[in-house]
Amino acid sequence: MQSRIPPFDELLGRCRSSAVHLEMRDSYGTNPRLESWKRGRRTNWGDRSSWWRPFHDAIADAVGRGVSVRRARVVSEPVSDYIRWEHYATEGNVIAGEEVRWLPRSRSTDLLLPGNDFWLFDGGLLRIHHFAGDGSLVEDEMRQEGALVRQCASAFEAVWQRAVPHEQYAI
């Protein structure tokens, strides 16, 4: 039996130098913000109080402490509605201080990528996400084995080097 998985904000709060996130799914289920966006609601990015969430606080706090927070997404093209919304909503991540890049899946064929999305904290602690086929989160798993950490770090960096910065990736 696995021990308690610390909440994301706690893991990021302990972070000293870097946090990287690799995402490789074209959908992560649904949520009220996605459904609202599909109905035409758009965010007023100038009114931070209307969209800022605790997640953004955690990112901004980490970046303020000097932690580099990077996210790379491997996506199919043409993109799914979910990815179209995610690209739109990423503005909040960027405002909070996160760096985000996008890699079309067709440009990742020669990369060796793990089977699951993950966060890697300070190059040594993995929080691996296990998703169901419908995109809903099944469970998270914490791992620290050196070989696995190195493989995931290498995969992230390979994607990062090839990916397009958020502001240049047109949907």
Side-chain angles (χ1 to χ4, degrees), residues 75-170:
V75 296
S76 300
E77 292 181 321
V79 299
S80 66
D81 283 346
Y82 188 97
I83 295 299
R84 191 174 311 285
W85 167 74
E86 196 169 53
H87 185 271
Y88 173 79
T90 293
E91 183 67 18
N93 299 53
V94 171
I95 291 169
E98 190 174 342
E99 294 179 70
V100 180
R101 292 188 182 179
W102 303 80
L103 181 64
R105 194 172 310 282
S106 63
R107 294 184 49 210
S108 71
T109 303
D110 61 332
L111 300 179
L112 297 177
L113 301 176
N116 298 295
D117 293 5
F118 63 83
W119 276 95
L120 176 59
F121 300 96
D122 287 332
L125 179 63
L126 280 167
R127 181 177 181 155
I128 301 166
H129 305 299
H130 297 282
F131 291 97
D134 67 0
S136 62
L137 181 65
V138 174
E139 67 180 346
D140 283 339
E141 172 186 17
M142 301 300 295
R143 303 280 295 270
Q144 296 185 51
E145 300 91 349
L148 178 60
V149 166
R150 286 188 297 278
Q151 287 173 337
C152 288
S154 177
F156 177 87
E157 293 302 332
V159 169
W160 186 259
Q161 291 306 312
R162 198 173 284 186
V164 178
H166 175 70
E167 63 276 2
Q168 296 172 19
Y169 185 67

Side-chain angles (χ1 to χ4, degrees), residues 44-53:
N44 176 357
W45 296 112
D47 178 14
R48 210 167 109 154
S49 66
S50 69
W51 58 267
W52 193 266
R53 298 189 173 2

Side-chain angles (χ1 to χ4, degrees), residues 56-72:
H56 298 109
D57 282 329
I59 297 296
D61 289 348
V63 170
R65 292 191 324 272
V67 175
S68 168
V69 181
R70 297 182 295 155
R71 179 186 308 254

